[in-house]
């Protein structure tokens, strides 16, 4: 791509900001992010920040192309943290804290045993061994799986660091700007339609999260993205309740080193209704208390919710759709985890027209 070319990224969430950062910082492409609100306004700042490449398989053996992508993106977070620290002096809160998934009755070996044959660290523990790692865990827990290489970031901090990184690399932000549709001339993408005209660019990347399918002019065959609401309760614990992120059967506790702990989360098909509800908070708190009874004394500092961009097949949409039109959306529960590797491959596709990754798990068009 020549120096004259420019790219519009629709959406300033973690995906859009990461794609813009890669394009500008690594490929020296001129990029503008068009964001309806402010960068990080939606799901990306609401997230727990779990980089759960191994835990998020939910007990199903994953095909190598998908598992490889998840693991690669987790590792790229370490690199992104270092790059942003160096470029702008702000890190992402990256911490290799580990994940402990505990069980009261499930057979965790049956769910995660397949990972023994892959090149990853995993160990299966009894309840007492799990409590040696996290002493505050409930005595009712009788088994656990420990994934010491899983990690976390602090999403609001990640978004701030990315915005600074983008700005330092020359990315322009047009905030308060809603994209109505894709603009074409003679069938060729020439930019996007906004309220007062067309913003021109030679390539457009759709990264509008759970609103992606609402953009006019996307091809019919593109897989659809819908919102799945998740609610979070933030509490304060001194000292931190745990070091590892702890998953139960229905939710998780994400401890931060400063004593905050994020308790999550619900999975609700309610459209874009941005409510924190009594039922949602109740579900989140009862799961967390089942894991750590001592949380009963923790003060609640905040509650919020956000919309995961989900697809029917539970696979993200990553790739080229037609000349000049690319998508990077539908990352559902794992958008923060998958952002760096998504950004690397999309930036390569936009700037070079090729990628070294097998993107077949993420085919953006309906099969
Ligand atoms: C409660 C909760 C917990 C989560 N926990 C984790 C976790 O621990 N780990 C993990 O990896 N993932 C997690 N996720 C998922 C993760 O947050 C998402 O997958 C990810 O943030 C999606 O990023 P995005 O940039 O695609 O979407 P978003 O962050 O939603 O960004 C899309 C942006 O596009 C903008 N936009 C939309 N339409 C337009 C338009 N027409 N014109 C201009 N701008 C537009 C929006 O304003 C928004 O800023 C969680 C999600 C939730 C809700």
């Amino acid at each position: 791509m020549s120096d004259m070319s420019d790219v519009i990224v629709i959406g300033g969430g973690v995906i859009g900001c990461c794609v813009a950062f890669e394009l500008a910082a690594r490929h020296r492409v001129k990029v503008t992010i068009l964001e309806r609100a402010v960068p990080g306004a939606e799901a990306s700042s609401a997230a727990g920040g779990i980089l759960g490449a191994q835990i998020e398989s939910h007990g199903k053996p994953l095909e190598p192309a998908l598992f490889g992508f998840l693991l690669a993106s987790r590792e790229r977070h370490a690199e992104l943290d270092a790059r942003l620290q160096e470029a702008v002096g702000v890190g992402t809160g990256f911490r290799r804290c580990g994940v402990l998934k505990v069980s009261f009755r499930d057979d965790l070996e049956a769910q995660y045993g397949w990972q023994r044959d892959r090149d990853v660290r995993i160990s299966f523990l009894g309840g007492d061994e799990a409590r040696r790692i996290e002493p505050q865990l409930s005595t009712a827990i009788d088994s656990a799986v420990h994934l010491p290489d899983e990690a976390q970031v602090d999403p609001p901090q990640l978004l701030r660091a990315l915005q600074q990184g983008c700005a330092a690399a020359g990315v322009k932000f047009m905030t308060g700007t809603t994209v109505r549709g894709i603009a074409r001339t003679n069938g060729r993408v020439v930019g996007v339609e906004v309220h007062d005209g067309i913003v021109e660019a030679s390539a457009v990347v759709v990264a509008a999260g759970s609103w992606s399918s609402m953009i006019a002019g996307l091809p019919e065959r593109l897989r659809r993205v819908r919102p799945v609401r998740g609610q979070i309760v933030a509490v304060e614990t001194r000292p931190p309740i745990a070091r590892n992120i702890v998953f139960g059967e229905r939710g998780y506790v994400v401890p931060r080193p400063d004593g905050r702990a994020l308790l999550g989360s619900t999975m609700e098909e309610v459209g874009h209704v941005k409510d924190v509800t009594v039922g949602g908070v109740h579900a989140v708190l009862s799961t967390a208390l089942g894991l750590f009874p001592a949380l009963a004394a923790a003060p609640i500092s905040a509650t919020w919710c956000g919309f995961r961009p989900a697809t029917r097949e539970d696979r993200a949409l990553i790739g080229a759709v037609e000349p000049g039109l690319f998508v990077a959306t539908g990352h559902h529960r794992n958008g923060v985890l998958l952002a760096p590797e998504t950004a690397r491959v999309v930036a390569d596709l936009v700037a070079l027209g090729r990628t070294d990754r097998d993107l077949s798990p993420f085919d953006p068009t309906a099969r």
Side-chain angles (χ1 to χ4, degrees), residues 11 13-15 35-36 43-44 48-50 179 332-337:
V14 68
I15 301 294
E35 165 57 51
R36 192 183 56 180
S44 300
I50 304 164
V179 170
H332 198 205
R333 295 170 58 98
N334 288 311
V336 177
L337 166 66

Side-chain angles (χ1 to χ4, degrees), residues 3 21 41 51 62 73 76 100 105 116 125 127 141 144 167 199 233 254 264 276 291 296-297 305-306 314 316 343 348:
D3 284 353
F21 180 61
L51 307 181
L62 295 183
S73 206
R76 287 207 184 274
L100 200 61
R105 57 179 174 273
R116 284 200 170 106
L125 312 174
I141 285 157
V199 183
V233 178
V254 186
V276 173
L291 297 172
C305 68
D314 205 8
D348 282 354

Side-chain angles (χ1 to χ4, degrees), residues 10-17 34-52 155 177-180 207-212 214-215 228-232 252 254 265-266 304-309 328-338:
I10 308 173
V14 68
I15 301 294
C17 287
L34 269 65
E35 165 57 51
R36 192 183 56 180
V38 292
E42 298 290 350
S44 300
S45 297
I50 304 164
L51 307 181
T177 307
T178 300
V179 170
R180 292 186 175 166
S210 61
W211 295 268
S212 295
M214 297 178 182
I215 293 167
V228 173
R229 187 172 72 188
Q231 302 186 39
I232 296 251
Y252 52 76
V254 186
S265 181
T266 54
W304 63 81
C305 68
F307 303 107
R308 303 177 188 89
T329 188
H331 293 76
H332 198 205
R333 295 170 58 98
N334 288 311
V336 177
L337 166 66
L338 294 175

